[in-house]
Amino acid sequence: MTEPPARPTQRDIARRAGVSTATVSYVLNGRRGGAKPPPEETRQRVLRAVAEVGYQVDHAGRSLRRRRTDLVALMYPAPSSPWSDRLAEQMQAGAAERGLGVVALPQGEAASGDAALRVLRERYVDGAVLLPDCRVDPAELTRLAGRGLALVVFDDHLAPDGFDVVRQDRARACRAAVEHLVASGHRRIAYLAHPGEDGWDGVRSVKLRGYRDVLAAHGIGVDPALVLPVADSRPAAYAAVRELLRRPDPPTAVLSATDRAAIDAVWAARDHGVEVPGGLAVAGIGNIPEGVVITPALTTVGARELDFTREVARLFARLDAAAPLPGEVMAAPWELIVRASA
Amino acid sequence: MTEPPARPTQRDIARRAGVSTATVSYVLNGRRGGAKPPPEETRQRVLRAVAEVGYQVDHAGRSLRRRRTDLVALMYPAPSSPWSDRLAEQMQAGAAERGLGVVALPQGEAASGDAALRVLRERYVDGAVLLPDCRVDPAELTRLAGRGLALVVFDDHLAPDGFDVVRQDRARACRAAVEHLVASGHRRIAYLAHPGEDGWDGVRSVKLRGYRDVLAAHGIGVDPALVLPVADSRPAAYAAVRELLRRPDPPTAVLSATDRAAIDAVWAARDHGVEVPGGLAVAGIGNIPEGVVITPALTTVGARELDFTREVARLFARLDAAAPLPGEVMAAPWELIVRASA
DNA sequence: CTGAAAGCGCTTACAG
DNA sequence: CTGAAAGCGCTTACAG
């Protein structure tokens, strides 16, 4: 009785069951084109051997031969959010039906952002959904799609090019949020920014740009002291807003690049004894479910529903398609959702 | 001039540069054992061909040959949290230094939970860190480790067995939280549970068990109406606590399985005109940074620091090790952190 | 200095 | 009904 090898292969199974590796594979995966699978007796022998040594298929061997990985990814700028969680959940549901795996690729700072991209480039996955604000060169997307990677990309400017583009029209929505604050009489409006947002390229910094452009359009000077890079951290946002309110010339309104930070801005104001929206109006961006239940309910911009059914279906349609699908534009426009906080 | 193939291989590069595939590989990856790499002139020809066709290495081919994937995973029960985000960030930092990729595997409900496991079983990755409460059969971990997968597992009971185990002693910490509430005079204590926590196996349901056991030890009956499955959703927690406070016999304290939900419990109480902790004491579990800044600061149990340096280092040490490392126990005990909310 | 060849683990068209 | 063999893309010990 020899020890089972550390990582048994089909060759080991074949030897053990006294059959060829072809038969092992046929038992494990069936045969294509309606050919008859091995008879029950052979089948049992093979399955017994599989169980005895605890055989698991090796992905590298299978992928190399099949020319696909049976893995899909979702990429999003870190940190995670109700949106990335929801997308992961919906992708997993669809993937489970097809026997695929799902991996998440949170894109962090420079170096690791590129590492996430490498997972796509080197074909660890068959396809991916890219949430807004991922740092990816458009030319790279075209190349990846040209190489056969199934891609659904949230972006408001990119032209589809072998991949699908989901248009949220975030710039218009963000401008609407600022317009709303200005129309309510606010002139000193703070902005809770993503860290580093100032240095983002023009396409990605729609939020900050909406803030600046609308204020400028109304002849309101932007006070740099009112732009704070705290939108990705709830505690940082809370602390920053409390500090803001202690200043001699506090803002009368806050726009936040994330609902998460906006919600903490609301708490910060209230803890400071400042009424929302009376003493401080607060608007978020993103429309997460939490904004509905807090008091006052959060005014925000975003998609009405936390739902990616269509986008996920499109990714799987791409994967299933025999011939490459043409790139398509899908509209999922953000809206201004006025509730009680501003 | 022929079109570059859809997905060029080293063979295409070799043809284009008039060299062998061996030379292509040597140029791209260098040679081992101090052998001289190809001379500059050849190098340039190869690199030019690589650039021209936009060659990218194919992971399946490379992995099959190298017997490693250069990918590591972190697995955690969905949804994501400041903890999973932080671990992802720290893993990415370490991985980037080594040229590895990092994928996140949020473990959702039954079917997709198994899909996440498949990524480990079928060797999509070389190693993984498993955060607490992942649904994985211990025998499976032993088998995976035996197959050479590098594994660092957060678990309070498992014996290390070819993999490392991080002990947080969560049961003791959770009991301490309940003891703290009872010692403060509370008898009607609500519990915000993970959905389905009731059906979890004994090892995983340390939080709920701590709640029940300590109450029982003090002769306090557990009112099932005070156990609400809302800990994984902030809006659900908020709504549930408001509803709780409208009841004729509201609890005087709330313990939440997550700090996230605990924080929303605080807001819910305050929005209801109930003082915290005076009218409702609130304690969380997990110690996320947000709990420090809210008012009142959140009483909780958890690790003092949001830091996985040691665990991540251990994973990479395992990956780097020439011979399999023995399994090790690492202590990272949770503590009761009494702040102002309870 | 460079190439021909073997082989990683799998799948599958083909021959017997 | 079953097996021998080719080949997916890569790396590397070896021969020339």
Side-chain angles (χ1 to χ4, degrees):
Chain A
M1 191 77 200
T2 55
E3 272 292 289
R7 196 164 160 65
T9 68
Q10 288 190 4
R11 213 149 145 273
D12 301 309
I13 305 298
R15 226 184 330 247
R16 224 179 162 89
V19 297
S20 72
T21 62
T23 300
V24 173
S25 180
Y26 290 146
V27 168
L28 259 24
N29 307 308
R31 301 191 60 162
R32 60 171 6 186
K36 274 197 197 133
E40 193 53 22
E41 203 272 326
T42 311
R43 225 177 83 78
Q44 289 307 333
R45 259 208 336 279
V46 170
L47 291 179
R48 200 174 320 121
V50 164
E52 277 168 13
V53 303
Y55 170 79
Q56 292 287 344
V57 74
D58 179 85
H59 146 255
R62 163 173 285 181
S63 290
L64 181 57
R65 175 64 219 229
R66 288 194 177 169
R67 311 273 57 224
R68 61 191 159 80
T69 65
D70 291 331
L71 207 59
V72 292
L74 71 154
M75 189 163 152
Y76 56 90
S80 56
S81 69
W83 293 95
S84 62
D85 280 344
R86 177 69 173 145
L87 176 58
E89 185 189 330
Q90 296 194 292
M91 285 181 70
Q92 283 178 337
E97 289 174 18
R98 279 155 239 258
L100 308 180
V102 177
V103 299
L105 299 173
Q107 195 183 41
E109 285 323 296
S112 67
D114 202 62
L117 248 185
R118 250 196 40 226
V119 172
L120 306 189
R121 268 199 291 251
E122 301 183 359
R123 268 316 174 93
Y124 284 88
V125 298
D126 295 327
V129 176
L130 272 61
L131 248 21
D133 289 337
C134 286
R135 293 190 314 280
V136 186
D137 179 24
E140 170 104 56
L141 290 178
T142 298
R143 189 150 49 101
L144 290 172
R147 298 279 193 271
L149 193 75
L151 237 31
V152 175
V153 182
F154 281 75
D155 191 290
D156 286 338
H157 300 280
L158 236 44
D161 185 6
F163 54 86
D164 303 302
V165 174
V166 184
R167 289 269 157 76
Q168 301 175 305
D169 215 345
R170 302 193 299 161
R172 191 184 43 73
C174 291
R175 281 196 305 269
V178 188
E179 291 284 2
H180 175 73
L181 294 174
V182 171
S184 308
H186 297 287
R187 291 299 174 271
R188 277 188 73 70
I189 303 173
Y191 175 64
L192 309 186
H194 294 290
E197 191 175 356
D198 219 350
W200 290 4
D201 61 64
V203 175
R204 285 173 69 231
S205 65
V206 284
K207 301 170 180 177
L208 180 55
R209 211 143 33 83
Y211 168 75
R212 285 189 173 140
D213 291 355
V214 171
L215 290 191
H218 287 275
I220 303 171
V222 173
D223 180 351
L226 292 183
V227 176
L228 304 164
V230 296
D232 287 347
S233 161
R234 299 182 75 130
Y238 181 97
V241 171
R242 291 215 68 158
E243 191 276 323
L244 222 39
L245 294 172
R246 275 195 295 272
R247 293 187 191 172
D249 53 350
T252 64
V254 170
L255 173 70
S256 168
T258 65
D259 275 10
R260 296 188 299 275
I263 289 167
D264 273 65
V266 169
W267 306 133
R270 291 179 47 187
D271 285 349
H272 205 80
V274 170
E275 287 279 332
V276 177
L280 185 74
V282 177
I285 295 177
N287 190 27
I288 64 175
E290 196 182 348
V292 180
V293 299
I294 66 159
T295 306
L298 189 67
T299 291
T300 187
V301 296
R304 284 259 165 215
E305 303 287 339
L306 188 53
D307 177 50
F308 296 99
T309 306
R310 219 169 24 126
E311 292 80 8
V312 170
R314 180 69 186 170
L315 178 72
F316 288 122
R318 255 188 193 287
L319 288 171
D320 294 343
L325 261 38
E328 198 173 83
V329 171
M330 308 170 75
W334 276 16
E335 299 169 39
L336 174 63
I337 299 167
V338 177
R339 291 196 280 246
S341 70
Chain B
M1 192 77 201
T2 55
E3 273 292 289
R7 197 164 158 66
T9 67
Q10 288 191 5
R11 212 149 145 275
D12 301 309
I13 305 298
R15 230 189 322 253
R16 224 179 162 91
V19 297
S20 72
T21 61
T23 299
V24 173
S25 181
Y26 290 147
V27 169
L28 259 24
N29 307 309
R31 302 191 61 163
R32 61 171 6 186
K36 272 196 198 134
E40 194 54 21
E41 202 274 326
T42 312
R43 225 176 83 77
Q44 288 306 332
R45 262 210 330 283
V46 169
L47 291 179
R48 201 174 319 120
V50 163
E52 276 167 14
V53 303
Y55 170 80
Q56 292 287 342
V57 74
D58 180 84
H59 147 256
R62 163 174 285 180
S63 289
L64 181 57
R65 175 64 217 229
R66 288 195 177 168
R67 312 274 58 222
R68 59 191 160 82
T69 66
D70 292 330
L71 208 58
V72 291
L74 70 154
M75 189 164 153
Y76 56 91
S80 57
S81 68
W83 292 95
S84 62
D85 280 343
R86 176 70 174 146
L87 176 58
E89 185 189 331
Q90 295 193 294
M91 284 180 72
Q92 282 177 338
E97 288 174 20
R98 279 155 241 257
L100 308 179
V102 177
V103 299
L105 299 173
Q107 197 183 38
E109 286 324 297
S112 68
D114 202 62
L117 249 185
R118 250 197 38 227
V119 172
L120 305 189
R121 270 196 233 126
E122 301 183 359
R123 267 316 174 94
Y124 285 87
V125 298
D126 295 327
V129 176
L130 273 61
L131 249 21
D133 288 338
C134 286
R135 293 190 313 281
V136 186
D137 178 23
E140 169 104 56
L141 290 177
T142 298
R143 189 150 48 101
L144 290 172
R147 298 279 193 270
L149 193 75
L151 238 30
V152 175
V153 181
F154 281 76
D155 191 290
D156 285 337
H157 300 280
L158 235 45
D161 185 7
F163 54 87
D164 302 303
V165 173
V166 184
R167 290 269 158 75
Q168 299 174 306
D169 215 345
R170 301 192 302 159
R172 191 183 44 73
C174 291
R175 282 195 305 269
V178 188
E179 291 284 4
H180 175 73
L181 294 174
V182 172
S184 307
H186 297 286
R187 290 300 175 270
R188 278 188 71 70
I189 303 173
Y191 175 63
L192 309 186
H194 294 289
E197 190 174 357
D198 219 349
W200 290 3
D201 62 65
V203 175
R204 285 174 70 232
S205 65
V206 282
K207 300 170 181 177
L208 179 54
R209 212 143 33 83
Y211 168 75
R212 285 189 174 139
D213 291 355
V214 171
L215 290 192
H218 286 274
I220 304 172
V222 172
D223 180 351
L226 292 183
V227 176
L228 304 164
V230 295
D232 287 348
S233 161
R234 300 182 75 130
Y238 181 96
V241 172
R242 291 214 69 156
E243 191 277 323
L244 222 41
L245 294 172
R246 275 195 296 271
R247 292 187 190 171
D249 54 350
T252 64
V254 170
L255 173 69
S256 167
T258 65
D259 274 10
R260 294 189 300 275
I263 289 167
D264 273 64
V266 170
W267 306 133
R270 292 179 46 186
D271 284 350
H272 205 80
V274 170
E275 287 278 332
V276 177
L280 185 75
V282 177
I285 296 178
N287 190 28
I288 65 175
E290 196 183 348
V292 180
V293 298
I294 65 158
T295 307
L298 188 67
T299 290
T300 188
V301 296
R304 284 260 165 215
E305 303 287 339
L306 188 53
D307 177 50
F308 296 100
T309 306
R310 220 170 21 129
E311 291 81 7
V312 169
R314 180 68 186 171
L315 178 72
F316 288 122
R318 256 189 192 288
L319 289 171
D320 294 343
L325 261 38
E328 198 172 83
V329 171
M330 308 169 76
W334 277 16
E335 300 169 37
L336 173 64
I337 299 166
V338 177
R339 292 198 279 246
S341 71

